[in-house]
Amino acid sequence: MTEIKLLQSSGPILAVKFVDSLLLSGEGPHLVANDVSTTSRVFQKLAFKKNKIHGIAVSSKNVVGLWGGRSLAFESLAGLLDEKHAIEELAINDWIVHVGFSTDGEVAYVLTSHNLVLVINVTTHKILSSKSCGEKSLLYSGYVSVTGTEVTVAAGTVMSGIVIWNLATETIAHNLKGHEGSIFGVRISDDGKKLISCSDDRSIKLWDLETGKNIATGWGHGARIWHLQFFQKNTKILSTSEDCTVRVWDAESEDLANVEVFNAHQGKNAWCGDVNEEIGIIATGGSDGRLRIFDVQESKREGAVIKQWSPESVSDATETPFTNNEIFKEYVAVAGGVVCVTSEGSLFFLNKELQWKLLLKDPRFAGFSLVRSFEIENVVVVTSKDGTHLLIKLAEDGSVQEQKSFQTEGLKGKVTNVLVTTDIDTMMMVVESPVPSDPFVLYVFSSGLDVKSTLKLPKPDTRFVSSSLAYDVQNDWILISSRYTTLVMYELSSQTLLHTWKKFVPGDTVSSVRVSLSAKNKVVFSVVIRDGSYYYLEVTNEIGEIQSSILGENRIQKGFLEGMLESDNGDILLYGFRSSQFFVWNETQQYEVFTETCGGPHRQWLFKRLEGDSFMFMYTRASSINVRVTGKFPLHSRAINVGNNGREIRSISIQQKVRADRTNLMLTGSEDTCIRLSVVDDAKHIKNVWSERKHVSGIQKVKFIDSNLAISSAAREELFVWSIDDTYPKRPYISVLATLAPTSANPDLRIMDFDTVPVLEAEKTVGYLLATVYSDSAIRIWYFDLKSRSFKLLVEDRYSTCCLLDAALITREAALYLMTGATDGYISVWNITEILDSSLSVSGGKCLLQSLKTDASTKLPECLVKQQIHQSGIKSVDIRSTPEAVYIITGGDDNSLSLLRLFSRNPSSLEVLSLVANAASSTITSVEFIPDSLKVFATSVDQIIRIWDYSVDDQLTLEKKEYVTVADTGCSAVASIGDKPIGFVGGAGLSVYSLEI
Amino acid sequence: MGKSSKDKRDLYYRKAKEEGYRARSAFKLLQLNEQFQLFKDVKRVVDLCAAPGSWSQVLSREIFSRDEPDAKIVAVDLQPMASIPNVTTLQADITHPKTLAKILEIFGGEPADFVCSDGAPDVTGLHDLDEYIQAQLILCALQLTTCILKPGGNFVAKIFRGRDIDLLYSQLGYLFDKVICAKPRASRGTSLESFIVCLGYRPRPGWTPTLREDGSTEEFFEGSGIGRASLRDDLELEEEERVIAPFIACGDLSAYDSDATYTLEEGFSSTSLDPVQMPTAPPYKKALEMKRKGLLK
Ligand SMILES: C[S@@+](CC[C@H](N)C(=O)[O-])C[C@H]1O[C@@H](n2cnc3c(N)ncnc32)[C@H](O)[C@@H]1O
């Protein structure tokens, strides 16, 4: 028996609701409960067969009401918590907009999108009555408010504002007009006195329900607002929006001041939210399948700090007179707190109890000084312009335990920078002057603050202004970064310059270098560039020569980067500035974890990760020192579900090769222009590792072409070859190996599809033949050379004027064919063996490199086959080669599926073996042969996946179909993982199925 | 992308401007007509969700060129529409029961020969909600159709082939001789848009469609026996009937492909044409203005 079993799914979250510390969320048709106090999942239950959960309400008797589409359920919380208990799906005959409960919890008021209320007994599920105000036009939103025995309905219409009516009398109390466009959200305060609403006009309006007057209007969201709710005794309003932000508004201010903005979701749409006032958190759900938590009471958490000190207040607290113009200069972190130097050379210490203390005052450091610290050793070093250094070791209580002074001699220039780094028992400091002939002077200190060694490292022969330092103990390599994206590496013991990377990537200043991984003769450095990009640079010395390659690279969407950290669970955290904000971004999981509006990057600042992923950010603003510590709170700004792409997934590719830890790599491309590399584990959980932002337009296709190579294509003729390095257990890395240059300036030209065939020389893959097909009907065939990473155009031609949709290269024994599918429904095949002959030859089903032609490209020969298979566009094609013939499966925009055969009898005929006209009730977007079977997996926009069998007389017969919750179902991938075919289905979400055939 | 670059590349858009149509949609109706001879003997038409009005333009040119004495075209939309010769325009919400009553009133009790609706709501991105609203637009159009269309007349409406489209096919099958899902080449293959072409209206025996100003669409179709979900006393979920309608692609294969990228040289002069119909003001116009002035944070 063929079965299709759902293993995992993620998709838009449309409803969230707190019941104490239990957070209920509607994830597609599933009801999920997470306990936020432990951040663990309590249950996941199927609520509805097909419909998604759009709303959740809880009665006074702890009965949970769920609704979505015309489906409905009432379940006691106890029942839900019982593992064996299944949710009973009920239904009415119309779309449900909202469900309210009576005060005693006995009856539910179900509001339909035709402004009708069904009064239903919660226990017996009997309809008691049906109520209406006589106005039955369509609603986009609505709310049933119950205060005592009074039931009021707020109905958000398409064109006629908000209709407020009384359930008992079925009479209209108010018709609130003032919004433009359809009303997308309404809520009544729990005292029944006020109403908030939002519409297509992107504003929030607060109304007085007694008078029907608009009290205030708030603006701020950059797109439509979907959800609103009151909290904190109706003094605050929560809103979630299409612009992905979640905002808090002051309901008591004149024009609804926007007091907080959270960047909550990715791509598009923060759909829903709820507030837990007891814990002080907001939960939100979005299109990206994420469940986010925001701390709205951060200042009350254990260890949380928000504080500010002016120079006067520090002067008062330490009883140290400040001179008139004395200001805070630099500050650095030490184990016990922070050390700050003033413009007069005073050193202050701020301990963890937030008490200030004067350490010392040294006039040598008045005016100009540089302060650095060896944090773990609790050591600070202060340097003056003329190279005088003072090393200070602090005791636990912050008193000066020891201090030593020494001088850098022999530099022609003044000291302009000091860089430090620490490793096990090594404190290292590099002193720099701007004079090119001055070497870097490097000191290694003992824990007793003695200079163990002084080394002179010659500067590289290029413009160099140092910015960051990293030391790898294992190989004794020291890497110094500079502006102009230049790096220099030395071997310390021999004081030799090993390698210089001059402008190794585009960009300007390197903000930070760090050792990410280290092995014998091999180090991976992380390199962060201020303009927003970062790289993983692998440096090896395995053949007696320094070699390097970029393993991974990416960039953030907005802002400047100052550095990178790793969180406790190995996630990459990037931090920097974006206009007036400092931010910390979890790059692995793609969400913001911290922001502080500090005025921008041009100021003194200090950022530190504390234990348990708490953060400290300190900065100077208007000459005062500000500090914020997030405190110990596990729910501080996090994602319970990480979700996936924020927009529709358009292409999926699975790396068949199983990795050492029994996981597989997966690539997805989505409308949000991101290429995501993820790891699929044994249970088919998908964990995102990289979200690559190289494309600027929506992805058409992404595909692994080999074990460590992939290609992606998009609109604007973008095509990248990606290299995937999976040699490090920590994480796989992905970087761009090559970029195919656009052939025209037409920004509308899209590369619709591509295919590749490996090209061998001496039994080794040296390159790939790459066929690309375009929206202007162009066809190109390239040779991509692995070594030079370059593309050579071999064939260039045009199909007709219609848009091509599919490309496939088919190798037979001694011939190579190109096949295309197009919007006109035709399949065309060319034998391209001869036209490639002088460049490549085909033998034994393999493509062999001959001598590449260097002259102009050729045209395609006369086509072998041109046959109409579908009435309109061929959306998807898959190919299976057997020794006897080539089988082709195609899925069309015309709802039909066809099985074709090439080469079996007549080499130039395409046989239609089987054609199913109404194979789906909508466009078939993806078809795939299931490995090791005579079956096909088909995905269509009607949200049904089907398995077809063709083992009997090559006739397609439907074997199994299954509903998928992923809407806009647009792509699929079938891979044999652990001997079992696994189907991945993408669209507005991603679902994984085991195909039991 | 600005208007001028768009009109260089979208050939239907350009052709619409050259032929004086307000929208490229005109060609969808023309291609549907080529396939199904929808305009044959048609004099009285209701064009629902008609703004900016290119379908009405097509219909007006077609019908009034024939010099029919009792010809009539009524065009309805939420958005205001500039006047079109021989077309009565009405700015109203077709999901509002009063709107349908008003249209019947304009027709003065006379039947219509053809009802069409190119309606599409502003999508929210909640696919199931968008599909539901789209289905509602079609049902409202169908409501009017059952009240006004002469037996044997035709009905055309825009659909998006989503997960529940087969429910609609099934329901329409009770009311028409033939129900076809048609996709004109002028409609982009990359969009899910297609058109439901319903030929030969067959009133349901024993059911008299009655429009009530205080009735909902659901109530209207109660008793019509077209297989719509009913409200069960015990709230039990019943499955509705589903049918797949045959698919027909229409428009000549040599017609322009709306998914293709064309370069200018291919048959067009490079003079830029002014848009025929200015876009209407969106509800979020004020929000955009405030953003431009830096008033939104
Ligand atoms: C694609 S346009 C129609 C184009 C038109 N056929 C033409 O050729 O110019 C869709 C129209 O549906 C209208 N519409 C959407 N919902 C509506 C409703 N509830 N009542 C009336 N019109 C509606 C929109 O205002 C929009 O103008």
PDB file of all heavy atoms in Angstrom, chain A residues 641-667:
ATOM      1  N   ASN A 641      10.202  28.852  17.470  1.00  0.00           N
ATOM      2  CA  ASN A 641      10.316  28.131  16.203  1.00  0.00           C
ATOM      3  C   ASN A 641      11.180  28.992  15.341  1.00  0.00           C
ATOM      4  O   ASN A 641      10.933  30.182  15.270  1.00  0.00           O
ATOM      5  CB  ASN A 641       8.995  28.180  15.446  1.00  0.00           C
ATOM      6  CG  ASN A 641       8.088  27.103  15.820  1.00  0.00           C
ATOM      7  OD1 ASN A 641       8.324  26.433  16.799  1.00  0.00           O
ATOM      8  ND2 ASN A 641       7.053  26.944  15.050  1.00  0.00           N
ATOM      9  N   VAL A 642      12.099  28.437  14.638  1.00  0.00           N
ATOM     10  CA  VAL A 642      12.884  29.309  13.773  1.00  0.00           C
ATOM     11  C   VAL A 642      12.207  29.511  12.433  1.00  0.00           C
ATOM     12  O   VAL A 642      12.369  30.529  11.783  1.00  0.00           O
ATOM     13  CB  VAL A 642      14.312  28.796  13.637  1.00  0.00           C
ATOM     14  CG1 VAL A 642      15.116  29.725  12.779  1.00  0.00           C
ATOM     15  CG2 VAL A 642      14.927  28.698  15.002  1.00  0.00           C
ATOM     16  N   GLY A 643      11.404  28.539  11.984  1.00  0.00           N
ATOM     17  CA  GLY A 643      10.714  28.695  10.708  1.00  0.00           C
ATOM     18  C   GLY A 643      11.666  28.608   9.547  1.00  0.00           C
ATOM     19  O   GLY A 643      12.760  28.076   9.667  1.00  0.00           O
ATOM     20  N   ASN A 644      11.256  29.136   8.419  1.00  0.00           N
ATOM     21  CA  ASN A 644      12.169  29.134   7.273  1.00  0.00           C
ATOM     22  C   ASN A 644      12.050  30.423   6.499  1.00  0.00           C
ATOM     23  O   ASN A 644      12.028  31.466   7.095  1.00  0.00           O
ATOM     24  CB  ASN A 644      11.940  27.904   6.402  1.00  0.00           C
ATOM     25  CG  ASN A 644      10.468  27.669   6.162  1.00  0.00           C
ATOM     26  OD1 ASN A 644       9.747  28.588   5.827  1.00  0.00           O
ATOM     27  ND2 ASN A 644      10.007  26.461   6.374  1.00  0.00           N
ATOM     28  N   ASN A 645      11.985  30.320   5.173  1.00  0.00           N
ATOM     29  CA  ASN A 645      11.969  31.511   4.338  1.00  0.00           C
ATOM     30  C   ASN A 645      10.780  32.395   4.651  1.00  0.00           C
ATOM     31  O   ASN A 645       9.693  31.916   4.918  1.00  0.00           O
ATOM     32  CB  ASN A 645      11.896  31.095   2.864  1.00  0.00           C
ATOM     33  CG  ASN A 645      12.954  30.078   2.519  1.00  0.00           C
ATOM     34  OD1 ASN A 645      13.156  29.112   3.248  1.00  0.00           O
ATOM     35  ND2 ASN A 645      13.641  30.282   1.446  1.00  0.00           N
ATOM     36  N   GLY A 646      10.978  33.681   4.564  1.00  0.00           N
ATOM     37  CA  GLY A 646       9.897  34.608   4.838  1.00  0.00           C
ATOM     38  C   GLY A 646       8.941  34.773   3.671  1.00  0.00           C
ATOM     39  O   GLY A 646       7.861  35.302   3.817  1.00  0.00           O
ATOM     40  N   ARG A 647       9.352  34.295   2.499  1.00  0.00           N
ATOM     41  CA  ARG A 647       8.476  34.376   1.334  1.00  0.00           C
ATOM     42  C   ARG A 647       8.381  33.002   0.697  1.00  0.00           C
ATOM     43  O   ARG A 647       9.059  32.070   1.111  1.00  0.00           O
ATOM     44  CB  ARG A 647       9.042  35.382   0.325  1.00  0.00           C
ATOM     45  CG  ARG A 647       9.154  36.797   0.861  1.00  0.00           C
ATOM     46  CD  ARG A 647       7.812  37.483   0.961  1.00  0.00           C
ATOM     47  NE  ARG A 647       7.157  37.573  -0.327  1.00  0.00           N
ATOM     48  CZ  ARG A 647       7.341  38.560  -1.186  1.00  0.00           C
ATOM     49  NH1 ARG A 647       8.155  39.536  -0.895  1.00  0.00           N
ATOM     50  NH2 ARG A 647       6.717  38.571  -2.340  1.00  0.00           N
ATOM     51  N   GLU A 648       7.565  32.878  -0.338  1.00  0.00           N
ATOM     52  CA  GLU A 648       7.324  31.588  -0.966  1.00  0.00           C
ATOM     53  C   GLU A 648       8.623  30.935  -1.442  1.00  0.00           C
ATOM     54  O   GLU A 648       9.457  31.574  -2.078  1.00  0.00           O
ATOM     55  CB  GLU A 648       6.379  31.755  -2.155  1.00  0.00           C
ATOM     56  CG  GLU A 648       4.945  32.068  -1.762  1.00  0.00           C
ATOM     57  CD  GLU A 648       4.722  33.512  -1.357  1.00  0.00           C
ATOM     58  OE1 GLU A 648       5.683  34.305  -1.393  1.00  0.00           O
ATOM     59  OE2 GLU A 648       3.582  33.848  -0.990  1.00  0.00           O
ATOM     60  N   ILE A 649       8.740  29.649  -1.140  1.00  0.00           N
ATOM     61  CA  ILE A 649       9.892  28.871  -1.600  1.00  0.00           C
ATOM     62  C   ILE A 649       9.630  28.474  -3.048  1.00  0.00           C
ATOM     63  O   ILE A 649       8.550  27.995  -3.388  1.00  0.00           O
ATOM     64  CB  ILE A 649      10.082  27.624  -0.716  1.00  0.00           C
ATOM     65  CG1 ILE A 649      10.357  28.071   0.724  1.00  0.00           C
ATOM     66  CG2 ILE A 649      11.217  26.744  -1.231  1.00  0.00           C
ATOM     67  CD1 ILE A 649      10.388  26.948   1.720  1.00  0.00           C
ATOM     68  N   ARG A 650      10.609  28.712  -3.905  1.00  0.00           N
ATOM     69  CA  ARG A 650      10.427  28.458  -5.329  1.00  0.00           C
ATOM     70  C   ARG A 650      11.228  27.272  -5.850  1.00  0.00           C
ATOM     71  O   ARG A 650      11.013  26.795  -6.951  1.00  0.00           O
ATOM     72  CB  ARG A 650      10.797  29.709  -6.137  1.00  0.00           C
ATOM     73  CG  ARG A 650       9.809  30.831  -5.968  1.00  0.00           C
ATOM     74  CD  ARG A 650       8.464  30.456  -6.599  1.00  0.00           C
ATOM     75  NE  ARG A 650       7.436  31.430  -6.287  1.00  0.00           N
ATOM     76  CZ  ARG A 650       6.272  31.118  -5.707  1.00  0.00           C
ATOM     77  NH1 ARG A 650       6.013  29.891  -5.366  1.00  0.00           N
ATOM     78  NH2 ARG A 650       5.384  32.057  -5.452  1.00  0.00           N
ATOM     79  N   SER A 651      12.215  26.834  -5.080  1.00  0.00           N
ATOM     80  CA  SER A 651      13.030  25.725  -5.559  1.00  0.00           C
ATOM     81  C   SER A 651      13.696  25.023  -4.369  1.00  0.00           C
ATOM     82  O   SER A 651      14.097  25.667  -3.409  1.00  0.00           O
ATOM     83  CB  SER A 651      14.084  26.276  -6.523  1.00  0.00           C
ATOM     84  OG  SER A 651      14.805  25.242  -7.111  1.00  0.00           O
ATOM     85  N   ILE A 652      13.760  23.697  -4.452  1.00  0.00           N
ATOM     86  CA  ILE A 652      14.374  22.894  -3.382  1.00  0.00           C
ATOM     87  C   ILE A 652      15.335  21.907  -4.020  1.00  0.00           C
ATOM     88  O   ILE A 652      15.031  21.329  -5.061  1.00  0.00           O
ATOM     89  CB  ILE A 652      13.314  22.075  -2.609  1.00  0.00           C
ATOM     90  CG1 ILE A 652      12.204  22.982  -2.052  1.00  0.00           C
ATOM     91  CG2 ILE A 652      13.942  21.267  -1.484  1.00  0.00           C
ATOM     92  CD1 ILE A 652      11.088  22.219  -1.353  1.00  0.00           C
ATOM     93  N   SER A 653      16.475  21.713  -3.401  1.00  0.00           N
ATOM     94  CA  SER A 653      17.385  20.672  -3.871  1.00  0.00           C
ATOM     95  C   SER A 653      17.993  19.975  -2.656  1.00  0.00           C
ATOM     96  O   SER A 653      18.350  20.619  -1.680  1.00  0.00           O
ATOM     97  CB  SER A 653      18.475  21.295  -4.751  1.00  0.00           C
ATOM     98  OG  SER A 653      19.333  20.308  -5.244  1.00  0.00           O
ATOM     99  N   ILE A 654      18.059  18.662  -2.713  1.00  0.00           N
ATOM    100  CA  ILE A 654      18.577  17.887  -1.580  1.00  0.00           C
ATOM    101  C   ILE A 654      19.877  17.227  -2.004  1.00  0.00           C
ATOM    102  O   ILE A 654      19.964  16.656  -3.088  1.00  0.00           O
ATOM    103  CB  ILE A 654      17.582  16.770  -1.181  1.00  0.00           C
ATOM    104  CG1 ILE A 654      16.185  17.349  -0.923  1.00  0.00           C
ATOM    105  CG2 ILE A 654      18.091  15.970   0.026  1.00  0.00           C
ATOM    106  CD1 ILE A 654      16.069  18.190   0.304  1.00  0.00           C
ATOM    107  N   GLN A 655      20.878  17.313  -1.149  1.00  0.00           N
ATOM    108  CA  GLN A 655      22.128  16.611  -1.390  1.00  0.00           C
ATOM    109  C   GLN A 655      21.922  15.163  -0.946  1.00  0.00           C
ATOM    110  O   GLN A 655      21.709  14.889   0.229  1.00  0.00           O
ATOM    111  CB  GLN A 655      23.246  17.294  -0.589  1.00  0.00           C
ATOM    112  CG  GLN A 655      24.596  16.632  -0.681  1.00  0.00           C
ATOM    113  CD  GLN A 655      25.132  16.602  -2.098  1.00  0.00           C
ATOM    114  OE1 GLN A 655      24.966  15.617  -2.791  1.00  0.00           O
ATOM    115  NE2 GLN A 655      25.747  17.687  -2.521  1.00  0.00           N
ATOM    116  N   GLN A 656      21.973  14.288  -1.953  1.00  0.00           N
ATOM    117  CA  GLN A 656      21.699  12.874  -1.699  1.00  0.00           C
ATOM    118  C   GLN A 656      22.709  12.260  -0.728  1.00  0.00           C
ATOM    119  O   GLN A 656      22.386  11.412   0.078  1.00  0.00           O
ATOM    120  CB  GLN A 656      21.771  12.129  -3.041  1.00  0.00           C
ATOM    121  CG  GLN A 656      20.919  10.906  -3.093  1.00  0.00           C
ATOM    122  CD  GLN A 656      19.520  11.205  -3.646  1.00  0.00           C
ATOM    123  OE1 GLN A 656      19.243  12.253  -4.188  1.00  0.00           O
ATOM    124  NE2 GLN A 656      18.630  10.265  -3.470  1.00  0.00           N
ATOM    125  N   LYS A 657      23.942  12.726  -0.818  1.00  0.00           N
ATOM    126  CA  LYS A 657      25.020  12.153  -0.007  1.00  0.00           C
ATOM    127  C   LYS A 657      24.755  12.410   1.477  1.00  0.00           C
ATOM    128  O   LYS A 657      24.538  13.541   1.910  1.00  0.00           O
ATOM    129  CB  LYS A 657      26.346  12.800  -0.401  1.00  0.00           C
ATOM    130  CG  LYS A 657      27.544  11.989   0.026  1.00  0.00           C
ATOM    131  CD  LYS A 657      28.830  12.688  -0.362  1.00  0.00           C
ATOM    132  CE  LYS A 657      29.146  13.832   0.601  1.00  0.00           C
ATOM    133  NZ  LYS A 657      30.270  14.652   0.176  1.00  0.00           N
ATOM    134  N   VAL A 658      24.763  11.353   2.258  1.00  0.00           N
ATOM    135  CA  VAL A 658      24.516  11.488   3.694  1.00  0.00           C
ATOM    136  C   VAL A 658      25.800  11.954   4.361  1.00  0.00           C
ATOM    137  O   VAL A 658      26.885  11.475   4.056  1.00  0.00           O
ATOM    138  CB  VAL A 658      24.050  10.140   4.290  1.00  0.00           C
ATOM    139  CG1 VAL A 658      23.786  10.276   5.784  1.00  0.00           C
ATOM    140  CG2 VAL A 658      22.803   9.661   3.577  1.00  0.00           C
ATOM    141  N   ARG A 659      25.706  12.884   5.279  1.00  0.00           N
ATOM    142  CA  ARG A 659      26.878  13.426   5.963  1.00  0.00           C
ATOM    143  C   ARG A 659      27.267  12.528   7.132  1.00  0.00           C
ATOM    144  O   ARG A 659      26.515  11.620   7.505  1.00  0.00           O
ATOM    145  CB  ARG A 659      26.597  14.845   6.437  1.00  0.00           C
ATOM    146  CG  ARG A 659      26.152  15.749   5.298  1.00  0.00           C
ATOM    147  CD  ARG A 659      25.582  17.034   5.802  1.00  0.00           C
ATOM    148  NE  ARG A 659      26.621  17.915   6.316  1.00  0.00           N
ATOM    149  CZ  ARG A 659      26.562  18.552   7.472  1.00  0.00           C
ATOM    150  NH1 ARG A 659      25.515  18.391   8.247  1.00  0.00           N
ATOM    151  NH2 ARG A 659      27.534  19.339   7.855  1.00  0.00           N
ATOM    152  N   ALA A 660      28.396  12.816   7.709  1.00  0.00           N
ATOM    153  CA  ALA A 660      28.933  11.982   8.776  1.00  0.00           C
ATOM    154  C   ALA A 660      27.930  11.791   9.922  1.00  0.00           C
ATOM    155  O   ALA A 660      27.821  10.707  10.489  1.00  0.00           O
ATOM    156  CB  ALA A 660      30.221  12.594   9.294  1.00  0.00           C
ATOM    157  N   ASP A 661      27.194  12.835  10.248  1.00  0.00           N
ATOM    158  CA  ASP A 661      26.262  12.717  11.380  1.00  0.00           C
ATOM    159  C   ASP A 661      24.863  12.314  10.919  1.00  0.00           C
ATOM    160  O   ASP A 661      23.876  12.627  11.572  1.00  0.00           O
ATOM    161  CB  ASP A 661      26.229  14.027  12.167  1.00  0.00           C
ATOM    162  CG  ASP A 661      25.794  15.196  11.295  1.00  0.00           C
ATOM    163  OD1 ASP A 661      25.644  15.010  10.058  1.00  0.00           O
ATOM    164  OD2 ASP A 661      25.580  16.289  11.839  1.00  0.00           O
ATOM    165  N   ARG A 662      24.782  11.632   9.798  1.00  0.00           N
ATOM    166  CA  ARG A 662      23.529  11.113   9.260  1.00  0.00           C
ATOM    167  C   ARG A 662      22.543  12.211   8.854  1.00  0.00           C
ATOM    168  O   ARG A 662      21.336  11.996   8.806  1.00  0.00           O
ATOM    169  CB  ARG A 662      22.851  10.160  10.253  1.00  0.00           C
ATOM    170  CG  ARG A 662      23.638   8.893  10.515  1.00  0.00           C
ATOM    171  CD  ARG A 662      22.960   8.018  11.569  1.00  0.00           C
ATOM    172  NE  ARG A 662      21.563   7.734  11.266  1.00  0.00           N
ATOM    173  CZ  ARG A 662      21.161   6.780  10.438  1.00  0.00           C
ATOM    174  NH1 ARG A 662      22.028   6.038   9.831  1.00  0.00           N
ATOM    175  NH2 ARG A 662      19.880   6.570  10.222  1.00  0.00           N
ATOM    176  N   THR A 663      23.049  13.373   8.578  1.00  0.00           N
ATOM    177  CA  THR A 663      22.165  14.436   8.106  1.00  0.00           C
ATOM    178  C   THR A 663      22.412  14.644   6.608  1.00  0.00           C
ATOM    179  O   THR A 663      23.366  14.116   6.059  1.00  0.00           O
ATOM    180  CB  THR A 663      22.436  15.764   8.845  1.00  0.00           C
ATOM    181  OG1 THR A 663      23.803  16.123   8.624  1.00  0.00           O
ATOM    182  CG2 THR A 663      22.201  15.629  10.332  1.00  0.00           C
ATOM    183  N   ASN A 664      21.515  15.422   5.992  1.00  0.00           N
ATOM    184  CA  ASN A 664      21.685  15.763   4.580  1.00  0.00           C
ATOM    185  C   ASN A 664      21.637  17.279   4.434  1.00  0.00           C
ATOM    186  O   ASN A 664      21.000  17.959   5.232  1.00  0.00           O
ATOM    187  CB  ASN A 664      20.554  15.174   3.740  1.00  0.00           C
ATOM    188  CG  ASN A 664      20.673  13.682   3.596  1.00  0.00           C
ATOM    189  OD1 ASN A 664      20.492  12.943   4.550  1.00  0.00           O
ATOM    190  ND2 ASN A 664      20.999  13.229   2.400  1.00  0.00           N
ATOM    191  N   LEU A 665      22.276  17.753   3.393  1.00  0.00           N
ATOM    192  CA  LEU A 665      22.220  19.188   3.135  1.00  0.00           C
ATOM    193  C   LEU A 665      21.053  19.490   2.203  1.00  0.00           C
ATOM    194  O   LEU A 665      20.720  18.693   1.335  1.00  0.00           O
ATOM    195  CB  LEU A 665      23.514  19.682   2.490  1.00  0.00           C
ATOM    196  CG  LEU A 665      24.765  19.660   3.362  1.00  0.00           C
ATOM    197  CD1 LEU A 665      25.959  20.191   2.583  1.00  0.00           C
ATOM    198  CD2 LEU A 665      24.539  20.499   4.623  1.00  0.00           C
ATOM    199  N   MET A 666      20.466  20.640   2.413  1.00  0.00           N
ATOM    200  CA  MET A 666      19.347  21.056   1.572  1.00  0.00           C
ATOM    201  C   MET A 666      19.537  22.513   1.156  1.00  0.00           C
ATOM    202  O   MET A 666      19.979  23.328   1.956  1.00  0.00           O
ATOM    203  CB  MET A 666      18.050  20.931   2.363  1.00  0.00           C
ATOM    204  CG  MET A 666      16.859  21.515   1.639  1.00  0.00           C
ATOM    205  SD  MET A 666      15.304  21.164   2.470  1.00  0.00           S
ATOM    206  CE  MET A 666      15.148  22.612   3.435  1.00  0.00           C
ATOM    207  N   LEU A 667      19.203  22.819  -0.070  1.00  0.00           N
ATOM    208  CA  LEU A 667      19.212  24.204  -0.538  1.00  0.00           C
ATOM    209  C   LEU A 667      17.792  24.599  -0.909  1.00  0.00           C
ATOM    210  O   LEU A 667      17.071  23.817  -1.539  1.00  0.00           O
ATOM    211  CB  LEU A 667      20.097  24.344  -1.777  1.00  0.00           C
ATOM    212  CG  LEU A 667      21.605  24.387  -1.557  1.00  0.00           C
ATOM    213  CD1 LEU A 667      22.330  24.200  -2.877  1.00  0.00           C
ATOM    214  CD2 LEU A 667      22.020  25.704  -0.910  1.00  0.00           C
TER     215      LEU A 667
END
